[in-house]
Amino acid sequence: MPSLTPLPALIDNYMWMLSDASGGKALVVDPGEAAPVLDALDELGLELSAILVTHHHPDHIGGIGRLLEEHPRTQVCAPVDGRIPIAHRRVAEGDVVEFDAPAARFTVMEVPGHTRTHIAYCGGGMLFCGDTLFSLGCGRIFEGTPSQLLASLDRLAALPGDTRVCCGHEYTLANAAFAEQVEPANDALQARMRQARALRQAGNPTLPSSIAEERAANPFLRIDALPAREGQPKENRVARFAALRAAKDAFRA
Ligand code: ZN
Ligand code: FE
């Protein structure tokens, strides 16, 4: 079994490394900077075999150039988007990316909303979802529409409950403050907040979480469970999702 590690980068990013010590190789998702990846590879004596990219934002691709200089045989997989200048393979909905070392197989899901070409990689019980789904939150809508982001989140929420959610940022506690305001009596949310606080106090990541945990505590996956706000028809879930996302944008803890 390859091992999965979140490498902290920049301010609050995670670059997910999947490594196989016996095969001597690793792959990394969304390398926003190169140095922590190079350090981890050095320490473990591994070669970089692949880079998976979820979307074009600099905090997810900034390290690619330098990693390719140091590990020229690395294969870069990325969505079809010219704003990601380097890719050996462009992938889209339903494509399968497969590696021998580390042994891994992922199916590509198009999950627009945060950006219009955002993709996720899902396989082996892991979901690399970039800035689409966060623990207790979701990405901001920069290029898409609320309806697109909601459809993307609906698809991710429908994955098996034990799928490990490997997202792009350590935003759990900040998201929790908003989630608690939305749903103060949610016991699963309270339990997740206690756990996340303890993890952060010990200097550990709060990730990965699981799809089951997110379904129970993440307000953006709970549109149908939340009470409708004033003036909003209960049946219009896109409008309710849009209002929730807008409230989060305006929220200051
Ligand atoms: Zn982003
Ligand atoms: Fe990001």
Side-chain angles (χ1 to χ4, degrees):
M1 268 293 274
S3 67
L4 177 68
T5 320
L7 303 177
L10 304 169
I11 298 166
D12 51 27
N13 279 78
Y14 287 127
M15 311 182 285
W16 291 90
M17 178 176 271
L18 192 65
S19 56
D20 169 13
S22 55
K25 287 182 177 169
L27 66 81
V28 70
V29 182
D30 284 355
E33 61 175 331
V37 180
L38 293 171
D39 289 349
L41 292 168
D42 251 17
E43 200 172 302
L44 301 165
L46 300 175
E47 195 186 320
L48 189 64
S49 59
I51 292 172
L52 305 182
V53 178
T54 65
H55 68 295
H56 74 280
H57 285 158
D59 61 312
H60 298 255
I61 66 171
I64 295 176
R66 174 91 206 282
L67 289 173
L68 286 177
E69 280 168 26
E70 304 284 330
H71 295 264
R73 286 159 67 189
T74 303
Q75 291 293 305
V76 180
C77 277
V80 183
D81 190 322
R83 296 171 296 185
I84 302 163
I86 314 162
H88 304 93
R89 182 168 174 205
R90 298 285 176 175
V91 291
E93 178 67 33
D95 285 347
V96 171
V97 293
E98 204 162 6
F99 306 97
D100 295 333
R105 184 178 197 274
F106 304 106
T107 303
V108 174
M109 299 171 78
E110 290 178 357
V111 286
H114 176 66
T115 68
R116 72 186 152 71
T117 60
H118 200 303
I119 59 174
Y121 300 85
C122 187
M126 294 169 282
L127 170 69
F128 299 107
C129 51
D131 291 356
T132 298
L133 172 66
F134 294 122
S135 187
L136 305 182
C138 70
R140 275 180 193 258
I141 300 169
F142 282 124
E143 296 178 356
T145 63
S147 145
Q148 278 180 327
L149 183 57
L150 178 58
S152 297
L153 292 172
D154 282 344
R155 292 187 66 197
L156 300 181
L159 292 168
D162 60 0
T163 305
R164 287 182 283 176
V165 176
C166 307
C167 55
H169 292 267
E170 178 61 69
Y171 285 162
T172 311
L173 287 179
N175 287 338
F178 175 75
E180 190 180 30
Q181 201 186 59
V182 174
E183 231 186 344
N186 181 331
D187 291 340
L189 173 60
Q190 293 295 333
R192 172 66 171 144
M193 285 175 73
R194 283 191 298 275
Q195 177 208 42
R197 261 188 228 115
L199 285 166
R200 294 310 287 154
Q201 267 160 24
N204 292 318
T206 62
L207 299 158
S209 67
S210 70
I211 288 291
E213 281 181 285
E214 297 307 324
R215 285 198 293 244
N218 185 331
F220 295 95
L221 301 191
R222 298 176 55 72
I223 293 300
D224 301 312
L226 303 177
R229 291 176 180 224
E230 254 173 75
Q232 280 171 7
K234 177 84 183 154
E235 60 280 6
N236 190 345
R237 63 195 296 275
V238 174
R240 283 183 290 124
F241 175 77
L244 189 69
R245 185 55 263 186
K248 174 69 165 64
D249 290 344
F251 179 77
R252 296 287 174 274

